[in-house]
Amino acid sequence: MKQVLSLKRHRGIVLLQAMILMIMLFLIAIASFNMGRQNTIIAGNMQHKAEVLTAANQAVEKVISTTTFIDSPSAAVPGNTVSYDVNGDGTNDITVKLNPKPCVKKAQIIKNAELDTSNSNDMACALGANQNLGVEGAVTGNSLCANSIWEIAAVAEDEATGGQVEVTTGVGVRVSADNAQNTANICP
């Protein structure tokens, strides 16, 4: 009789051990699911950030691809805003604003002596240079052109996620001396 009672007690312990093992396996499965889900979210966020960064760089390239920003920095792109439809659904997903407008960070007037007269670009800088001999301060040796470094800043924002990226790019451009010295174009 004692052996029968002993077997019944062992059956209860096995059931308890099986339940504990099942609960542990369930918790491991839940933890694995959550880790996989978090990795997917992280990868998605990285993709959104890359899309916003690409949109900001595209806007900067759009500005640089024309010379409009040199003559009229506030009209580099209409309204200083560009929108992009990233997923092709017909709705703009990312808005890029040029803030502040493109401006001259540094400019240096090119001296006439530094021009190569066999180069057509340099000839355009030398044409029309007045030689006012005998007038004090008139002969400076400056050409009509300047080497300038422009700063173009773009802030891109993803409308769906609210993610923002700011890109600042510098570009070297030969411009007229008037554009380089225009106080409206100089960075604050």
Side-chain angles (χ1 to χ4, degrees):
M1 188 103 133
K2 288 186 179 186
Q3 288 181 341
V4 175
L5 288 175
S6 164
L7 288 174
K8 286 184 180 179
R9 285 186 193 159
H10 287 292
R11 286 183 191 161
I13 291 174
V14 171
L15 181 61
L16 183 60
Q17 289 175 346
M19 291 290 277
I20 291 172
L21 185 61
M22 290 288 286
I23 290 171
M24 288 176 58
L25 288 174
F26 180 72
L27 291 175
I28 290 171
I30 296 262
S32 297
F33 175 75
N34 283 338
M35 286 189 340
R37 186 171 163 259
Q38 288 174 350
N39 287 341
T40 304
I41 290 170
I42 290 170
N45 287 342
M46 289 175 63
Q47 179 180 354
H48 284 296
K49 184 177 179 179
E51 289 171 350
V52 174
L53 180 63
T54 301
N57 284 328
Q58 281 181 326
V60 169
E61 290 297 323
K62 184 175 185 174
V63 170
I64 294 172
S65 67
T66 67
T67 58
T68 305
F69 76 95
I70 296 170
D71 299 325
S72 179
S74 51
V77 290
N80 280 342
T81 303
V82 183
S83 297
Y84 295 98
D85 177 17
V86 177
N87 56 11
D89 65 353
T91 305
N92 290 329
D93 303 311
I94 299 173
T95 303
V96 182
K97 294 179 182 174
L98 297 179
N99 188 20
K101 66 180 181 172
C103 59
V104 176
K105 198 73 172 167
K106 179 182 176 186
Q108 182 177 4
I109 304 295
I110 301 170
K111 299 290 184 185
N112 280 321
E114 298 171 1
L115 297 175
D116 178 11
T117 55
S118 64
N119 183 339
S120 61
N121 290 330
D122 284 357
M123 280 301 290
C125 294
L127 290 178
N130 293 333
Q131 295 297 321
N132 296 322
L133 299 175
V135 178
E136 184 179 348
V139 181
T140 60
N142 292 341
S143 71
L144 298 175
C145 297
N147 288 325
S148 63
I149 298 175
W150 289 74
E151 183 177 274
I152 302 169
V155 178
E157 182 175 358
D158 187 340
E159 312 244 340
T161 64
Q164 282 190 345
V165 173
E166 183 175 338
V167 173
T168 303
T169 303
V171 61
V173 183
R174 179 177 277 190
V175 296
S176 73
D178 292 339
N179 282 339
Q181 295 175 333
N182 185 349
T183 56
N185 295 347
I186 296 174
C187 292

